Every structure is written in C-alpha cells, then in structure tokens.
Amino acid sequence: SFGLQVYEDATAYKLTLMALECGYRNFFASVLAGNQKGFAQAVRDSGIPRDQLYICGSVVSNRVSGYDAARKATQKGCLSNLQAFGAGNIDYLDQIMLDYPGTDAASIQGQWSAFQEMHEQKLVKSLSVSNFSPAQLDAVLQDDRTTVKPVVNQLPYSVAYHPPNPTYNIEENAKRGVLVQAWAPLGYSLGGRFSTALKQQCAQIGQAHGNKTWAQVALRWVVQHGASFTMQTQKKSHFIENLQIFDFELSAEEMQLLDGLA
C-alpha cells in the first residue's frame, strides 16, 4: 500500500493522485500523518469508484490507561477519522488500525471494544493493529468479549531491521491468524538504516534478476518472507518501481544472504 507521511493536505492530495495514476489502489492514511482530508479529497476528485479502492485509517489512543478511558479515547478517534475522510465523501473504511497498543491488557481491550463497535455499525470492514507484540495481540484474542479479530499487525521490518530470526514475528502473528505488514520496509525511523554497503549488496543481487534496484530487492525480501508492506515516496519513478517486484523471485541462497545483513 501507499502510506502517507507527515506533510500538508495539499501534498497528500498531489501524491495520492500520483499513486492512483501509477496503479495503487491500497492506501494507509494514518491520523499521525495529519493529512487525511487531503487524501480523501484526492480520492473524490480522481473519479475512481470507491469499491475499487482499499482504504485504511488509524487511531492513536494509547496515551490513556484503563478500559473505559481507552474505549472513550478510541471512540473519539474513530469519529475523527470519519469526519476527516468525509471531506472526500468517504463514508466507510475497509480497515482501521490501532497505531499503538494501550499501556496494559485492560486498556488494549478497551481500545478493541471501540473498534468492534465501529465494525458492528458497518463503518469499517476489518480491524487491525500496529506495533503489537504477541502478548499484546493475546490481550485481544484471549478476551471473551472479542468477536472480531485483527487481520493485520503493522511492524517495523526490513532487510536492515529484523530479529535474529527474520521470520519470528511473521510466524508468531501467523499462529494468531494475523498478517504482518512492514512499515519502513526501505529503512528510516525504526526500519533500520540502509547503509551504502547494504544497498550495494541488494543491487548486486538485483543485477541477476534483470537489473532490479536495491529497493526492489529489499521489498521482494519482505514479500518472500510472508509479509506485506506499506511504502512512501514523493517520486513517480519510485511509485512505479515499487510495484515491479512480482516478476522475479530471490533464491534461497540470496534470501539467506540478505537475512544476515541487519
């Protein structure tokens, strides 16, 4: 998906139209980016039917503690999403994501209760989380009040940043029926630093696959390990490049080499 970053609504508008032109149909418009209105207006003006798009919003409600306080904060966040997306006549979401878990199990369960209400009201089709550990996922999954399970857990994950066993988090989430979506799959922030040497190693591997770029190799590594990813860019060439990773496959030896670069 294309994940919008922190910039003003006008930039979000321009980049969303660019992404749509390049073929993107899956979007992550986080409340943390502060530009959901600009994104929504671009969707409206694109003329692309709503049912051809997959739109995910997000809520930040981890700054309060306790079931009731977390539930109320999350309800407020859900309403804020709908109001912002309403600027582009978007009246439902395909997914909404908790950007961060609450401070304890009760708080997480309060957050999830508000999400389930939104789902019951048919304002969102699926629910997801971000930055959740296996134990924090279990706070949701093992709660008798849970009727709708998270389908995605967005985590920092890249060739430059991953556990010693690069598939550990993916496997732990898969056991719980949850797909990992990598954020910062090309580095920066918690996605790790792609040094010049690391980029050169990825690019060298790419030469054997029709001169794929270092970024295409790094994204292909994420996909072959069983995760999806959300990416960001402000260049049309990169929008196009990042989609062209499904026409080649890394060998087991190449995957093992890349596993050892973090």
Side-chain angles (χ1 to χ4, degrees):
S1 75
F2 170 44
L4 288 87
Q5 299 300 298
V6 180
Y7 30 68
E8 69 279 3
D9 282 315
T11 298
Y13 181 93
K14 179 185 70 174
L15 293 177
T16 299
L17 289 178
M18 186 185 295
L20 287 165
E21 180 186 350
C22 292
Y24 286 77
R25 295 295 182 265
N26 189 318
F27 294 88
F28 176 52
S30 170
V31 67
L32 290 171
N35 48 38
Q36 291 176 321
K37 290 182 179 179
F39 161 78
Q41 289 164 344
V43 167
R44 177 197 62 201
D45 294 349
S46 73
I48 295 175
R50 173 67 181 87
D51 61 6
Q52 293 183 18
L53 304 175
Y54 193 94
I55 299 173
C56 178
S58 77
V59 170
V60 177
S61 58
N62 64 316
R63 300 187 181 105
V64 297
S65 298
Y67 183 94
D68 291 336
R71 181 169 173 266
K72 290 178 181 177
T74 306
Q75 288 172 327
K76 183 178 179 180
C78 290
L79 179 60
S80 177
N81 269 255
L82 293 172
Q83 290 173 337
F85 287 121
N89 301 326
I90 297 171
D91 57 6
Y92 74 92
L93 297 177
D94 297 282
Q95 188 174 113
I96 194 160
M97 179 177 290
L98 274 175
D99 264 315
Y100 291 96
T103 55
D104 53 29
S107 301
I108 291 170
Q109 290 159 0
Q111 291 175 307
W112 202 251
S113 173
F115 263 25
Q116 291 192 146
E117 288 177 9
M118 192 177 182
H119 185 270
E120 289 166 5
Q121 295 167 9
K122 301 189 184 304
L123 298 173
V124 63
K125 293 185 176 181
S126 64
L127 309 177
S128 60
V129 299
S130 183
N131 305 302
F132 270 55
S133 69
Q136 289 164 333
L137 280 174
D138 288 340
V140 173
L141 296 173
Q142 296 177 6
D143 185 357
D144 293 339
R145 295 163 292 190
T146 294
T147 57
V148 184
K149 297 180 179 181
V151 295
V152 166
N153 186 10
Q154 200 179 84
L155 297 172
Y157 184 66
S158 73
V159 172
Y161 183 89
H162 57 76
N165 173 3
T167 61
Y168 172 79
N169 285 327
I170 294 170
E171 291 167 355
E172 286 299 312
N173 278 265
K175 290 176 185 177
R176 295 162 172 81
V178 178
L179 173 70
V180 169
Q181 182 180 66
W183 63 263
L186 298 178
Y188 308 106
S189 185
L190 285 180
R193 179 176 177 270
F194 277 72
S195 65
T196 299
L198 195 156
K199 289 181 180 179
Q200 289 175 342
Q201 185 68 69
C202 290
Q204 183 177 345
I205 290 173
Q207 290 176 1
H209 297 279
N211 290 319
K212 293 295 184 181
T213 67
W214 74 265
Q216 288 172 317
V217 169
L219 292 176
R220 182 68 200 182
W221 176 89
V222 170
V223 171
Q224 279 190 220
H225 268 319
S228 64
F229 62 84
T230 183
M231 50 70 63
Q232 66 91 14
T233 185
Q234 297 193 37
K235 295 183 178 180
K236 186 174 182 179
S237 61
H238 289 168
F239 273 117
I240 295 170
E241 177 185 320
N242 291 345
L243 285 178
Q244 297 173 339
I245 65 164
F246 301 103
D247 57 353
F248 74 104
E249 185 172 350
L250 300 171
S251 69
E253 292 77 14
E254 290 168 334
M255 289 292 288
Q256 185 174 13
L257 176 61
L258 292 169
D259 287 349
L261 297 180

